[in-house]
Amino acid sequence: MGYGKVNVLKDLNLDIKEQSTCAIIGPSGCGKSTLLYGIAGIMQPSSGQLLIHDQPVKENRKETGVILQHYGLLPWKTVWKNAALGLKLRGVPKQVIEEKVSDVLRKLHIYELRDKYPVQLSGGQRQRVAVARVLAIEPDLLLMDEPFSSLDAIARESLQDLLLNIFNNSKLTIVFVTHNIEEAVFLGQKIVIMDQGSKNISHVLKNDLFGDQTLRNKPDFYRLCTDVRHSLQEKTTSL
């Protein structure tokens, strides 16, 4: 899988359990986003197959929600209209849209911002709108590409907590790309470490600590962060 004649990924084999979370981490240019775009149906593999529920991914599934790095909000639409966009494109009746959007905006604590435009929001608020737009369509798979990279540390942790709560209450399957080791350890039940040199996966770590909201305050959290860091360094020291 790649761009034109340039292969970004090759001979890759990865299984992600339904109703789990998977963090994909690795150096820039190793193919993290390409893998995510393949799962989303945005890119097609030149060989092999990508399967969801044993069905080949040939295009973007209606049940797959995607949040890209810069949120993809339409600047000329209000918070409400941005959050309702996916439902409107699916032809959902107006009354149902009203109910679903109201519910998700309240759950994300941004209902009072419904008439504001993206430019009037903080980075964290814009990210919540992007999450609201996806959750409104009630996906079974949520894909996120560096979702919190532009936020300060406190806003990032707040949204990580929010995402964990969403997962615990809805049991989505969540796959996300990150450069942040602490984020991968806090949110990933499975941590996939990719290698730029082989265009493949170098390590897959099972995270038995996943799900603990107080995890950041515990020594085991930093021990696992160190394990991930060592796995990354094994593949980058020769670059």
Side-chain angles (χ1 to χ4, degrees), residues 82-126:
N82 267 290
L85 185 61
L87 294 171
K88 188 174 181 180
L89 291 174
R90 286 165 171 77
V92 175
K94 186 176 180 179
Q95 182 58 38
V96 176
I97 292 177
E98 178 80 21
E99 293 171 0
K100 288 182 179 293
V101 173
S102 293
D103 180 59
V104 74
L105 291 182
R106 286 190 173 97
K107 285 180 177 177
L108 296 176
H109 307 295
I110 52 174
Y111 183 78
E112 70 280 3
L113 304 175
R114 61 191 179 279
D115 295 324
K116 292 187 178 294
Y117 291 87
V119 71
Q120 299 173 294
L121 306 177
S122 69
Q125 289 169 339
R126 287 195 294 271

Side-chain angles (χ1 to χ4, degrees), residues 136-189:
I137 67 171
E138 298 180 339
D140 61 12
L141 173 62
L142 175 59
L143 306 176
M144 308 177 76
D145 188 7
E146 289 283 347
F148 311 134
S149 62
S150 63
L151 304 179
D152 63 70
I154 299 301
R156 176 189 281 261
E157 289 189 0
S158 175
L159 282 166
Q160 290 169 358
D161 291 339
L162 173 66
L163 189 60
L164 182 58
N165 282 327
I166 289 170
F167 173 77
N168 287 333
N169 291 323
S170 62
K171 293 302 180 183
L172 286 164
T173 303
I174 299 176
V175 183
F176 66 98
V177 166
T178 182
H179 279 99
N180 187 280
I181 293 172
E182 289 77 12
E183 185 166 273
V185 171
F186 186 73
L187 288 176
Q189 281 179 291

Side-chain angles (χ1 to χ4, degrees), residues 168-228:
N168 287 333
N169 291 323
S170 62
K171 293 302 180 183
L172 286 164
T173 303
I174 299 176
V175 183
F176 66 98
V177 166
T178 182
H179 279 99
N180 187 280
I181 293 172
E182 289 77 12
E183 185 166 273
V185 171
F186 186 73
L187 288 176
Q189 281 179 291
K190 176 180 286 188
I191 302 171
V192 173
I193 299 171
M194 299 190 66
D195 171 32
Q196 189 175 32
S198 67
K199 302 178 183 178
N200 208 320
I201 295 169
S202 62
H203 295 83
V204 177
L205 303 179
K206 181 183 177 183
N207 183 3
D208 294 325
L209 306 176
F210 173 81
D212 184 353
Q213 289 276 13
T214 65
L215 183 59
R216 298 186 193 93
N217 300 320
K218 297 182 178 180
D220 285 346
F221 174 72
Y222 295 98
R223 279 195 284 269
L224 185 53
C225 288
T226 299
D227 290 343
V228 173

Side-chain angles (χ1 to χ4, degrees), residues 24 31-41 143-145 175-177:
I24 302 172
K32 302 184 299 297
S33 294
T34 301
L35 174 56
L36 200 77
Y37 295 165
I39 299 172
L143 306 176
M144 308 177 76
D145 188 7
V175 183
F176 66 98
V177 166

Side-chain angles (χ1 to χ4, degrees), residues 63-81:
E63 301 83 9
T64 298
V66 182
I67 300 177
L68 300 178
Q69 187 172 354
H70 299 293
Y71 315 146
L73 301 181
L74 301 180
W76 59 89
K77 289 185 178 291
T78 63
V79 165
W80 177 274
K81 290 182 178 179

